[in-house]
Amino acid sequence: MNKELSEILITYTTKAHKDFTGRLLDLSKDSLISLFTDLLTMYINDRNSSRLREYITVITAGYEHSEGKIGFNGYKQNNIVGGLPIACEAKPRNIFTADFKAHADGKRKTKPALLNGGGNFTDYTPDRLKRDRKENPMMLTSGFIDGKLIYILEFPFRTVSFVKCLRKSLEKHFPNGVRKSGTFLRSATFDFRSYESANTLQVIYRLPATELETYKKFFNKKFYEFLLHL
């Protein structure tokens, strides 16, 4: 973090509002642009929170983002008269090119994961699967590279192969369907293979083919070809 941005953040959190705004007014236009860019870059690439990437995914797909932590990530009005709002569940994933460089330089032992059209559900349970299947939100799986949006795909949760994938993970974690109170499947993962056959799969956003090619090495090969020809 550059020194000026650090000072601005300290001022914002420790001084009166007038002191903070006064400090900003003292900055040049170029300095403000630089500060905002640095702050946005930090936020969108936060390894511990996908909130901003989730927001971008939901809004770009035409939904209104839900601020609450409980429930689905977004909603939009149904075109059918009297129909209930359509919910969505966003699963963004961000790739850090610095991780690949660190691996190539021998500073990281394990090779970073590639974009594969997947995501994960945290602390998942059979009851949650049952609820999600009933509610049938639209799934939004998105990929970012260093905070740059690469793609957004949309498909119904109730896609047969997708539900089968999640159920298989749950059955492996909870043999015979027995789940003790307070226990969860920490991460129910999926990739593009679990929804590639969905009849209603839609490309909400995707970089042009020529630009997409520049990021090819950060993709699972099969998913890259799949995405390229959608």
Side-chain angles (χ1 to χ4, degrees):
M1 182 184 299
N2 68 59
K3 185 177 180 181
E4 195 164 43
L5 176 56
S6 178
E7 291 176 353
I8 290 294
L9 292 174
I10 294 299
T11 300
Y12 178 80
T13 55
T14 63
K15 305 294 183 181
H17 181 69
K18 64 178 181 177
D19 296 324
F20 171 68
T21 53
R23 179 73 175 85
L24 292 182
L25 290 172
D26 287 339
L27 297 173
S28 68
K29 181 180 178 180
D30 286 344
S31 292
L32 286 172
I33 292 174
S34 178
L35 286 174
F36 180 74
T37 301
D38 287 350
L39 186 60
L40 189 57
T41 299
M42 288 172 55
Y43 189 14
I44 201 168
N45 284 300
D46 189 344
R47 291 178 184 267
N48 298 312
S49 172
S50 61
R51 184 172 179 79
L52 189 55
R53 298 187 293 273
E54 174 191 296
Y55 177 85
I56 291 168
T57 300
V58 169
I59 295 300
T60 303
Y63 294 82
E64 182 176 345
H65 187 250
S66 177
E67 296 296 329
K69 291 185 177 181
I70 299 176
F72 298 116
N73 299 136
Y75 298 87
K76 68 179 178 181
Q77 293 301 312
N78 197 324
N79 292 328
I80 300 175
V81 177
L84 295 174
I86 301 171
C88 71
E89 183 76 5
K91 297 299 178 185
R93 187 167 173 209
N94 192 34
I95 293 294
F96 300 92
T97 58
D99 290 346
F100 286 83
K101 185 177 186 306
H103 180 261
D105 294 342
K107 297 178 181 179
R108 174 184 170 127
K109 293 183 178 180
T110 58
K111 185 177 180 180
L114 300 166
L115 286 175
N116 62 5
N120 75 284
F121 291 82
T122 303
D123 294 344
Y124 214 53
T125 65
D127 287 341
R128 172 78 184 279
L129 174 61
K130 184 178 180 180
R131 187 209 72 174
D132 289 345
R133 188 170 181 278
K134 179 181 178 181
E135 297 291 337
N136 194 30
M138 297 303 293
M139 294 297 304
L140 300 173
T141 176
S142 59
F144 293 76
I145 297 179
D146 291 336
K148 180 180 179 63
L149 180 60
I150 308 300
Y151 65 83
I152 302 176
L153 302 179
E154 181 183 53
F155 61 93
F157 182 95
R158 210 177 283 166
T159 298
V160 175
S161 55
F162 183 69
V163 172
K164 183 179 180 181
C165 172
L166 295 178
R167 181 176 288 125
K168 184 177 180 181
S169 294
L170 286 168
E171 289 175 347
K172 183 177 180 180
H173 191 73
F174 301 111
N176 302 315
V178 178
R179 171 181 170 259
K180 294 181 180 179
S181 178
T183 60
F184 307 89
L185 172 56
R186 292 304 176 192
S187 183
T189 61
F190 65 90
D191 61 36
F192 83 101
R193 294 172 298 178
S194 65
Y195 60 79
E196 62 180 325
S197 60
N199 294 327
T200 53
L201 176 65
Q202 292 190 59
V203 179
I204 301 298
Y205 179 90
R206 180 185 57 197
L207 289 180
T210 53
E211 189 174 357
L212 191 66
E213 188 175 7
T214 64
Y215 296 103
K216 187 176 181 179
K217 65 180 179 180
F218 302 113
F219 277 81
N220 167 280
K221 291 181 180 180
K222 291 184 178 180
F223 175 60
Y224 178 82
E225 292 299 324
F226 173 75
L227 182 63
L228 191 63
H229 293 96
L230 281 177

